[in-house]
Structures are given as structure tokens and as C-alpha cells.
């Protein structure tokens, strides 16, 4: 017994069939590669920055990337998010506040700093409460970034600073542990499902034959801004030069009065900021969920490795390469996509590791 | 005076129930982890049933106790939970678990101990073929094979000649690929592309491009939860204008929330309970489905029900009469013998109307559903109020 559904005719595809097979496919794949590659590039830049200054491979960076947009969901009006949260404060705010408080307790000998940290812990909760009460979209956007941002530097103070002068391997183990902890917390805070976020720029623009989401242009814009910004920061500003000094030789930098701890906070802060903003811009295109950060971070890491974790331009090139391989593999043999991407990288990594000696062993 | 009498009566009844040892049923569900959106309604349903059954005097005068454990969507934990239920809790039967891999993993321990189990997962291999081990295993959810039938019939009725498939690169997606491709071949529909993506993917442009290059009349997306929104959105963004089908794995409110306007017009097969209030009046499981949804919503809120809880309801629907019959034949103190009798009685299930269909078990069929009552075709529509909702498209009776 049917309920009477009309017969359906497939309308002709907008593009002629023969044409679809070559140029169009290439340009579509390139557009996809560029979008993914740009995100990997942003993550790779952050990872290289953090590694150069602190010798930490910041595995949980991917979690920061999804924390920001998921927090933003909690600040959205109910009719946009489709959730009924009733002014609930997102878990990330409690996490950030708790970490800042802990930091304050650790630094209790420096009363002024401890006081400031305790105040900012309260501030984060206040911002989150304000956001959860219902604010305009743009304000919620900013608040989400501000709420998640302290988690980065606080992670450095709480988990890496106590292990001063540890080996790269020790730092890596701590970082992997943090990644699992943050991912688990992400599940507790935001649940297992994905969320839909409003795009800042809706709609598509067709370039040649390829429709590109307008939101993607914001990602590209931010990537350019971040690259130029980092370049100016490192070449022009005194803080940037201090960070570079730390990266080149920590001992020497200390002799010149540069505090490695401070350099650590700043580098973690910049990396978290880049990750948060990238996440906020990318989120409307991917429907974020707590589990999505890790793979993005991993591919950013691979891109960074292609640049030996020291070279920013090579990291960007590596990121675009990973993006290109990925889109090619997903077109050719989607069932083996990730396997192909990582397998193709093996020879390059091997070559790189033979080229560079004792990567990361300092002084 | 009357109140005192009622009170005394209730007390007596309560004491009477309390004196009898409870009938212990073990339950394993995925209340946390990636399958939580399926496992939570299952757990809620069983909690609801336990209260209700005991309020009405239990089964054959004895109270029922569900011992509910969470496997966190993990096979190892599911197997550990089953062993604990069998050895420490001495349960009569086991209901669970939510996911296919873990349900497959539970077959060995229940078969070794000789405990009947009713799985809440989809895959056919959990109960087929019925061999020495699977003798002990039953299940309530429809298989991919059964759910493929409505899809290809709807495709054929809509004049679809060529179709493409894109599904998860895991057991769920592969199972659907096999089932759908076989059903499509039978119906004379050509499957022109078969792509895979990961639940965690953030871009499926490559796969979608390959599908577009073949220009199929329809695309089936084989995934569950909210992840299948991504290929659908990419298809629409890239200008695909054909029909898009999803599987019953997306029959949850989260899919509509994440999908938004992009998923309007999606067609999917689903258990009839999803559209309980739109079923034709003579649909055999309409009444059971309606009453289940009303009870569930009364307890957990309007709009909170999903089809997955219905599978747990159905598990109890076949277990309860089997328990009653087994209690007449054997003492529960004689545990091994009672479990054997209970297994035989489960296999003898006839004409049990559940929320998802009519169950008729046999020694070769431990699911006992026919897709004619167990599946309907549903479409996602926008209501005049601007909300997305499920609309009944066709039934197959």
C-alpha cells in the first residue's frame, strides 16, 4: 500500500558530462585541498611555534580548536542552536577558571600575580555567564574565544612548567595525556553529537567552475593575517625577538634576561589563539564535535614535521601537500584515504629524518 | 477507613513481592561513548518498564530487577559486563548491547554459560546463521537487509535507474554497502559508485565529486548519528539535485538539529514507531507504538523518544511472555535448566506485537520480523511552524 508519491525525474546536471571528467574535477579537488590545507597550515604554524620555544609537541591543540566553537554553541540563542540550554555555563568555562585558580595557588608567593589570576578566573566565569544569558552573535563569538583562550597558557603552567628541562619525549607523553584528558572532558562538556553553527558569511561564490563557500574566504583571510602577523611579530617586536632567542638557545636567552616561562606562556597563548580562531571560522563548514580536533591536529603535526618542526614556510608547504594528498586520495580510493595519506608521507618523513640530525635534542 | 484498607493491601502486596526473590535480568547498554544517543533511550526505556512491571505486581507474582551496566560503547567492557552479570549476579537472561561489534563479542560468553541474550544492535550476523553459539542469541532491531528493501522499492517507485552509495568506513557502512548493493541489483537499479568516509572526517569533497561525475539519480548515505549530515550538505553545495536517502541510523532529533534546512527532502527507512501518530489506523503495531511513546514522553519529556528505545521495549515484549511460560515449566533456583527452558520459550515466540513490528521466532530465525510491518519510508519535511519533522511517505504492507 503506497501513500501516493509522485514519480521523480532527475534534472540534468548543470555541467556537461565529458567536461566533468577532467578540468572540473581537478579544480574542485584543488579548492578542497586548499581549504583543508589552510587549516592544517594554521595548526602546523602553531605547533612549530610552540615546539621551537618550549620543545613541547602540543598534541591537544586540536582539542582547543574544537573547544572554542563548541563553547560558542552554548552562547547561541536557542532558535539558532536548536538546543534548550537555559543559560547553562559551558564546561570549558569551569575548566578554564579551575586551571587559572590552580595557577594562582601555584604562584601564591607572588601575591600580585596570584590575585590577578584569581580575578581572571572569576572573569572567565563572568564572561561565560554573560554569554549564556543570550548575547548578540558577534559578542558570543568573541566571548567563546576569550573563555577558551586561558586553557592554553594555563596548561603550560600546570603541566609542562613543573617538568622543567625534561626531554622532548617526556613533554610528548605529558602532551598525549593532556590530549586524552581534554578529549574526554570535551565529551562530558558537550556530549557525543555534532553541532551546527551559523556562518559569518553565508552563501557561495563561484570561481571559474568551483563553488566556494564564502565562509572559506574568512579562513584564508585569517591564515594570511596570522602568517603576516607572526612574521611581523618575530621580526619587529621585542617579545617576538625574545621568543626567537629562546628558540635558538634557551640558556643563552636566560643569560640575557629573557624568562623561558614567560616565553612559554606567550607561545602557548599565541598557539591557542590561532587554534581557537581557526576553529571558530572552520566550524560552520564542518559541524564540530568533541572528537574532531585530534585528526586535524595530527595532520597539522604531520605538516609541521615535513618542515622539521623548525621551518614555518616549509610547514605551510607541508600542510598544503597533506591537504592535496588527502583530497586526491578521497577521490581515488575513499576507503583507504587516511591510510594512503599517511603511507605517502612515510618516505618523506624518512628522508627528512635522515637529513636532520637529532631533532629536538637541545644544547 | 477505606484508605487504611488500601494501605494495608498495598503493604501486603509489597511484602508479598518482597518475599519472593526478584527475577534478575542483566542489561548492557552504551549509555556513554559514541553510541550514547542510542544507548540512553534504551536504558531509559528499561528503567521505565521495570517500574511499571513491579507496580503492576511483577511477572507471575515476582518482582523484576534489571541490573543495568554501561559498556561505554566499547567491546571489551561489554564482554566484561556480561561475564559479571552471568557469574556474580546470576541473571536469568541478558538484554544488550547497543552496538554491533560489542554484541558480536558477547556471543561467546553467553553461549559458554548458556544464557539467553537479546541484542539491541542491527547487524544480521549477530543472529545469523543460527548455529551452536547463536542458539542463545536473539535480537529485536531490523537488519540492514530488511531496511534496504524499503529503500530500493521507494527508488524503483520514484523511477530511479542509477544510484550511488557513500557510507562509513566501518562495520555499519560496510554492512549497508553489501545489503544495499545486493537489494539494488535484484531491483534492477545500477549502483554506479560506492564511496567511504570516516565518522570523524571534516571534508568529503573528493568522494562527493566522484559521485557527481557519475550523475546518479539517487544517493544513499550509510551512516548513523549526525556525521551523515556532512556528505549530504556537500552534495547539495556542489549542486547535486537528485534524491538523497539516509539509513535508519539517522532517525534521531540530533540529525535534524545539525542538518537544518539542508536535510529537507531526505528519505529514510525507519521503524514505524518514528511516525507512530501518522500510521494508518489498521497498521498492526500502531497501538503498541503509540502507547510506548506516550509513556516515554510522560516520563522523559515531549519529543524525547527515539526509535532506539523501542528496540529495548520490544526486547522486554518478547522476554516477558517467554519468562511467564518458562516459570510454569521450571524453578528459577535450578538456574542452568531455567535458562535452557527460557531460551526454548524465546524461540517459541509467536505473534508478539512490538513497537517495531510483529515477532515470530523460529529455530532458524532469531529476529522474526518482516520488513512489511517493521519498516516504513519517511521523509524529512519542514512543518508550517518552521520546524523539521518526519513525515510518513509510504508503508509496505
Amino acid at each position: 500500500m503506497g501513500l501516493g508519491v509522485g514519480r521523480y525525474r532527475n534534472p540534468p546536471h548543470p555541467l556537461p558530462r565529458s567536461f566533468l571528467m577532467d578540468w572540473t574535477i581537478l579544480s574542485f579537488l584543488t579548492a578542497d585541498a586548499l581549504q583543508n590545507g589552510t587549516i592544517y597550515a594554521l595548526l602546523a604554524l602553531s605547533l612549530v611555534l610552540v615546539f621551537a620555544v618550549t620543545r613541547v609537541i602540543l598534541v591537544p591543540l586540536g582539542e582547543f580548536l574544537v573547544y572554542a566553537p563548541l563553547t560558542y554553541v552554548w552562547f547561541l540563542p536557542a532558535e539558532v542552536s536548536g538546543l534548550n540550554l537555559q543559560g547553562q555555563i559551558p564546561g570549558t568555562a569551569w575548566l578554564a577558571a579551575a586551571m587559572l585558580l590552580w595557577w594562582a595557588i601555584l604562584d601564591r608567593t607572588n601575591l600580585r600575580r596570584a590575585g590577578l589570576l584569581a580575578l581572571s578566573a572569576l572573569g572567565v566565569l563572568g564572561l561565560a555567564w554573560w554569554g549564556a544569558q543570550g548575547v548578540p552573535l558577534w559578542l558570543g563569538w568573541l566571548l567563546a574565544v576569550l573563555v577558551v583562550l586561558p586553557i592554553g597558557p594555563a596548561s603550560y603552567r600546570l603541566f609542562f612548567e613543573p617538568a622543567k628541562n625534561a626531554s622532548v619525549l617526556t613533554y610528548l607523553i605529558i602532551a598525549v595525556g593532556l590530549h586524552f584528558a581534554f578529549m574526554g572532558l570535551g565529551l562530558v562538556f558537550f556530549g557525543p553529537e555534532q553541532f551546527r553553527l551559523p556562518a559569518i558569511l553565508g552563501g557561495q561564490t563561484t570561481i571559474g567552475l568551483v563553488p566556494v563557500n564564502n565562509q572559506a574566504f574568512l579562513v584564508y583571510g585569517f591564515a594570511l593575517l596570522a602568517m603576516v602577523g607572526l612574521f611581523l611579530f618575530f621580526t619587529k617586536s621585542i617579545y617576538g625577538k625574545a621568543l626567537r632567542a629562546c628558540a635558538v638557545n634557551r640558556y643563552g636567552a636566560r643569560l640575557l634576561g629573557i624568562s623561558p616561562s614567560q616565553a612559554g606562556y606567550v607561545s602557548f597563548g599565541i598557539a591557542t589563539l590561532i587554534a581557537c580562531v581557526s576553529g571558530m571560522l572552520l566550524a560552520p563548514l564542518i559541524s564540530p564535535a568533541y572528537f574532531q580536533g585530534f585528526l586535524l591536529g595530527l595532520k597539522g603535526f604531520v605538516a609541521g614535521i615535513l618542515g622539521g618542526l623548525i621551518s614555518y614556510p616549509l610547514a605551510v608547504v607541508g600542510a598544503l601537500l597533506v591537504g592535496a594528498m588527502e583530497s586526491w586520495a578521497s577521490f581515488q580510493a575513499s576507503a583507504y584515504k587516511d591510510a594512503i595519506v599517511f603511507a605517502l608521507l612515510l618516505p618523506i618523513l624518512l628522508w627528512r629524518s635522515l637529513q636532520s640530525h637529532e631533532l629536538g635534542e637541545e644544547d | 477507613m477505606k484508605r487504611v484498607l488500601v494501605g494495608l493491601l498495598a503493604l501486603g502486596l509489597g511484602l508479598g513481592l518482597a518475599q519472593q526473590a526478584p527475577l534478575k535480568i542483566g542489561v548492557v547498554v552504551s549509555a556513554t561513548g559514541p553510541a550514547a544517543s542510542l544507548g540512553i533511550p534504551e536504558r531509559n526505556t528499561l528503567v521505565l518498564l521495570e517500574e511499571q512491571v513491579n507496580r503492576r505486581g511483577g511477572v507471575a507474582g515476582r518482582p523484576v530487577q534489571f541490573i543495568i551496566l554501561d559498556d561505554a560503547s566499547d567491546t571489551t567492557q561489554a564482554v566484561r559486563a556480561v561475564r559479571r552479570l552471568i557469574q556474580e549476579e546470576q541473571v536469568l537472561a541478558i538484554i544488550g548491547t547497543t552496538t554491533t561489534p560489542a554484541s558480536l563479542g558477547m556471543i561467546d560468553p553467553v553461549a559458554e554459560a548458556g544464557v539467553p541474550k537479546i541484542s539491541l544492535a542491527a547487524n544480521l550476523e549477530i543472529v545469523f546463521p543460527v548455529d551452536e553459539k547463536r542458539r542463545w542469541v536473539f535480537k529485536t532491531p531490523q537488519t540492514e537487509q530488511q531496511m534496504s528493501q524499503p529503500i530500493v522499492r521507494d527508488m524503483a517507485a520514484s523511477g530511479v535507474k542509477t544510484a550511488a552509495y557513500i557510507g562509513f568506513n566501518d562495520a555499519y557502512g560496510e554492512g549497508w554497502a553489501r545489503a544495499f548493493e545486493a537489494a539494488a541489483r535484484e531491483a534492477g537499479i545500477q549502483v554506479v559508485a560506492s564511496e567511504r568516509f570516516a565518522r570523524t572526517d571534516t571534508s568529503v569533497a573528493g568522494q562527493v565529486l566522484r559521485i557527481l561525475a557519475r550523475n546518479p539519480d539517487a544517493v544513499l548515505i550509510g551512516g548513523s548519528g549526525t556525521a551523515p549530515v556532512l556528505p549530504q550538505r556537500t552534495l547539495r553545495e556542489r549542486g547535486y539535485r537528485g534524491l538523497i536517502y539516509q539509513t535508519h541510523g539517522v532517525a534521531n532529533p540530533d540529525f535534524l538539529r545539525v542538518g537544518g534546512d539542508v536535510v529537507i527532502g531526505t528519505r529514510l527507512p525507519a521503524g514505524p514507531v518514528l511516525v507512530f501518530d501518522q500510521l494508518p489506523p489498521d497498521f498492526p503495531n500502531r497501538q503498541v507504538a503509540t502507547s510506548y511513546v506516550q509513556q516515554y514522553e510522560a516520563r522523559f519529556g515531549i519529543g524525547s523518544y527515539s526509535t532506539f528505545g523501542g528496540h529495548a521495549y520490544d526486547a522486554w515484549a518478547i522476554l516477558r511472555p517467554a519468562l511467564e511460560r518458562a516459570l510454569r515449566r521450571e524453578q528459577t533456583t535450578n538456574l542452568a535448566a531455567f535458562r535452557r527452558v527460557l531460551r526454548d520459550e524465546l524461540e517459541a515466540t509467536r505473534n508478539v506485537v512490538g513497537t517495531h513490528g510483529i515477532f515470530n521466532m523460529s529455530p532458524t530465525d532469531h529476529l522474526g520480523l518482516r520488513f512489511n510491518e517493521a519498516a516504513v519510508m519517511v521523509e524529512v519535511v519542514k512543518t508550517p511552524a518552521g520546524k523539521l519533522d518526519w513525515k510518513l511517505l509510504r508503508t509496505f504492507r
Side-chain angles (χ1 to χ4, degrees):
Chain A
M1 181 187 88
L3 291 182
V5 179
R7 286 178 74 80
Y8 172 84
R9 285 266 150 258
N10 189 19
H13 196 275
L15 298 168
R17 200 169 253 267
S18 59
F19 198 54
L20 257 170
M21 297 314 291
D22 30 65
W23 259 114
T24 322
I25 285 183
L26 195 66
S27 43
F28 270 67
L29 286 178
T30 312
D32 182 49
L34 195 63
Q35 187 188 315
N36 295 332
T38 308
I39 291 296
Y40 302 152
L42 284 164
L43 287 169
L45 284 179
S46 314
L47 285 166
V48 170
L49 166 70
V50 168
F51 182 77
V53 176
T54 64
R55 294 288 178 268
V56 171
I57 295 171
L58 193 54
V59 187
L61 196 62
E63 268 68 59
F64 300 152
L65 184 142
V66 292
Y67 269 8
L70 292 176
T71 304
Y72 181 38
V73 171
W74 259 237
F75 296 165
L76 289 172
E79 64 272 16
V80 180
S81 68
L83 301 165
N84 190 10
L85 297 160
Q86 294 164 332
Q88 209 180 320
I89 293 178
T92 37
W94 295 109
L95 177 69
M99 288 175 82
L100 284 171
L101 267 184
W102 189 0
W103 187 351
I105 293 168
L106 286 181
D107 284 1
R108 62 187 173 279
T109 44
N110 184 340
L111 263 184
R112 209 175 127 250
R113 185 190 285 174
L116 268 178
L117 286 167
L119 267 183
S120 35
L122 277 179
V124 164
L125 282 182
L127 289 180
W129 177 82
W130 186 25
Q133 293 308 303
V135 288
L137 291 185
W138 64 270
L139 187 58
W141 203 98
L142 282 181
L143 289 178
V145 174
L146 286 178
V147 165
V148 177
L149 193 55
I151 298 176
S155 305
Y156 181 72
R157 176 66 187 90
L158 301 185
F159 306 110
F160 295 103
E161 175 103 64
K164 221 176 273 179
N165 299 327
S167 66
V168 173
L169 185 63
T170 312
Y171 281 148
L172 178 64
I173 294 169
I174 299 175
V176 170
L178 268 183
H179 149 68
F180 281 117
F182 283 145
M183 191 157 85
L185 285 173
L187 174 62
V188 174
F189 294 158
F190 305 110
E193 295 301 346
Q194 292 167 289
F195 296 93
R196 183 163 51 101
L197 275 77
I200 301 175
L201 288 181
Q204 295 181 321
T205 306
T206 308
I207 299 180
L209 289 162
V210 190
V212 180
N213 281 314
N214 290 338
Q215 179 78 16
F217 291 113
L218 290 181
V219 178
Y220 302 144
F222 175 68
L224 277 182
L225 194 75
M227 286 174 208
V228 173
L230 281 179
F231 177 75
L232 290 179
F233 178 71
F234 282 126
T235 50
K236 303 283 179 217
S237 84
I238 187 82
Y239 276 107
K241 285 177 182 165
L243 284 193
R244 265 170 70 209
C246 257
V248 173
N249 189 326
R250 289 222 270 176
Y251 189 63
R254 250 172 74 190
L255 289 179
L256 294 172
I258 298 168
S259 151
S261 319
Q262 217 134 34
Y265 308 145
V266 174
S267 64
F268 266 64
I270 295 176
T272 314
L273 182 66
I274 292 180
C276 285
V277 177
S278 317
M280 295 296 284
L281 294 175
L282 179 70
L285 299 171
I286 65 167
S287 304
Y290 80 98
F291 53 74
Q292 278 176 333
F294 176 62
L295 263 188
L296 291 173
L298 188 66
K299 285 174 183 153
F301 170 67
V302 170
I305 287 281
L306 290 176
L309 274 184
I310 40 167
S311 162
Y312 295 92
L314 273 184
V316 173
V317 173
L320 293 176
L321 193 67
V322 173
M325 277 184 195
E326 198 180 38
S327 30
W328 175 78
S330 67
F331 179 76
Q332 288 300 334
S334 56
Y336 308 101
K337 184 190 78 177
D338 283 338
I340 290 175
V341 170
F342 291 119
L344 282 178
L345 291 171
L346 279 178
I348 305 178
L349 292 177
L350 198 66
W351 171 68
R352 288 246 24 138
S353 69
L354 290 176
Q355 283 247 309
S356 67
H357 16 251
E358 295 299 307
L359 173 118
E361 286 314 319
E362 47 190 293
D363 305 337
Chain B
M1 191 59 204
K2 204 173 174 185
R3 204 180 282 172
V4 174
L5 267 180
V6 170
L8 276 176
L9 202 68
L11 192 68
L13 197 66
L15 282 176
L17 278 179
Q19 278 161 0
Q20 296 260 22
L23 300 166
K24 281 191 186 176
I25 309 294
V27 176
V28 187
V29 289
S30 307
T32 57
S37 59
L38 286 63
I40 290 169
E42 291 166 0
R43 186 196 59 195
N44 288 349
T45 301
L46 290 168
V47 168
L48 188 74
L49 284 169
E50 185 183 21
E51 283 172 7
Q52 205 175 68
V53 168
N54 289 333
R55 206 169 44 233
R56 294 183 189 161
V59 172
R62 292 177 62 176
V64 174
Q65 185 188 1
F66 288 138
I67 300 162
I68 303 179
L69 300 180
D70 173 22
D71 67 15
S73 312
D74 178 59
T75 304
T76 321
Q77 292 197 43
V79 172
R80 212 161 37 216
V82 163
R83 291 198 194 282
R84 200 183 122 194
L85 288 170
I86 294 172
Q87 285 155 14
E88 291 175 25
E89 304 288 353
Q90 309 265 308
V91 296
L92 304 176
I94 287 171
I95 296 176
T97 181
T98 313
T99 61
T100 292
S103 288
L104 289 170
M106 283 161 67
I107 294 177
D108 277 339
V110 297
E112 273 166 33
V115 182
K117 177 192 102 154
I118 306 172
S119 168
L120 305 176
N123 203 291
L124 177 65
E125 280 169 39
I126 297 166
V127 293
F128 187 84
V130 181
D131 52 20
E132 256 327 287
K133 287 177 179 166
R134 290 185 177 82
R135 287 182 71 223
W136 295 95
V137 184
F138 301 82
K139 77 184 208 86
T140 53
Q142 303 86 341
T143 61
E144 288 104 0
Q145 283 75 8
Q146 288 172 331
M147 284 303 202
S148 292
Q149 287 303 324
I151 294 183
V152 294
R153 285 180 193 219
D154 190 74
M155 283 181 175
S158 309
V160 170
K161 299 274 182 293
T162 54
Y165 174 79
I166 173 167
F168 281 170
N169 58 357
D170 63 10
Y172 187 90
E174 289 301 326
W176 262 98
R178 276 200 302 276
F180 172 67
E181 279 160 27
R185 208 172 312 122
E186 246 171 58
I189 294 169
Q190 203 191 344
V191 179
V192 292
S194 185
E195 302 295 315
R196 302 289 181 277
F197 71 109
R199 285 170 201 259
T200 50
D201 273 354
T202 49
S203 166
V204 291
Q207 293 94 319
V208 161
L209 201 50
R210 200 171 179 88
I211 290 174
L212 288 179
R214 303 281 159 79
N215 198 20
D217 296 334
V219 178
L220 169 64
I221 301 170
S224 61
T226 48
V229 170
L230 181 66
Q232 184 157 3
R233 194 172 51 208
T234 313
L235 276 165
R236 291 296 187 217
E237 277 174 359
R238 294 284 184 260
Y240 181 69
R241 286 188 264 157
L243 286 173
I244 296 184
Y245 289 83
Q246 293 270 7
T247 66
H248 59 308
V250 302
N252 61 68
D254 286 326
F255 175 73
L256 299 182
R257 173 176 59 75
V258 175
D261 285 354
V262 164
V263 299
I264 294 174
T266 312
R267 297 181 179 186
L268 61 139
V273 63
L274 184 68
V275 285
F276 68 99
D277 48 354
Q278 301 168 39
L279 294 170
D282 59 340
F283 204 82
N285 31 346
R286 180 187 161 114
Q287 231 181 347
V288 179
T290 308
S291 109
Y292 162 66
V293 173
Q294 283 165 353
Q295 290 164 33
Y296 191 93
E297 290 195 330
R299 172 75 190 267
F300 299 104
I302 296 292
S304 60
Y305 83 98
S306 74
T307 57
F308 306 108
H311 298 313
Y313 185 93
D314 292 350
W316 177 243
I318 59 174
L319 183 56
R320 185 195 169 123
L323 261 179
E324 280 169 354
R325 292 195 299 269
L327 282 167
R328 283 200 287 273
R329 286 175 52 188
E330 185 61 68
Q331 296 287 320
T332 49
T333 42
N334 200 351
L335 192 59
F338 183 85
R339 286 167 171 170
R340 260 198 311 278
V341 172
L342 184 58
R343 191 214 75 87
D344 295 345
E345 291 298 345
L346 277 170
E347 200 166 70
T349 296
R350 295 283 179 280
N351 289 321
V352 169
V353 182
T355 57
H356 280 275
I358 302 169
F359 292 88
N360 281 296
M361 304 279 181
S362 76
T364 52
D365 184 0
H366 278 192
L367 167 59
L369 284 176
R370 296 190 320 150
F371 86 88
N372 306 67
E373 296 93 19
V376 296
M377 210 61 199
V378 170
E379 187 177 14
V380 177
V381 293
K382 195 165 200 167
T383 59
K387 260 189 67 193
L388 294 186
D389 208 350
W390 316 103
K391 179 171 166 284
L392 181 65
L393 202 58
R394 27 171 126 246
T395 63
F396 299 92
R397 293 203 62 229

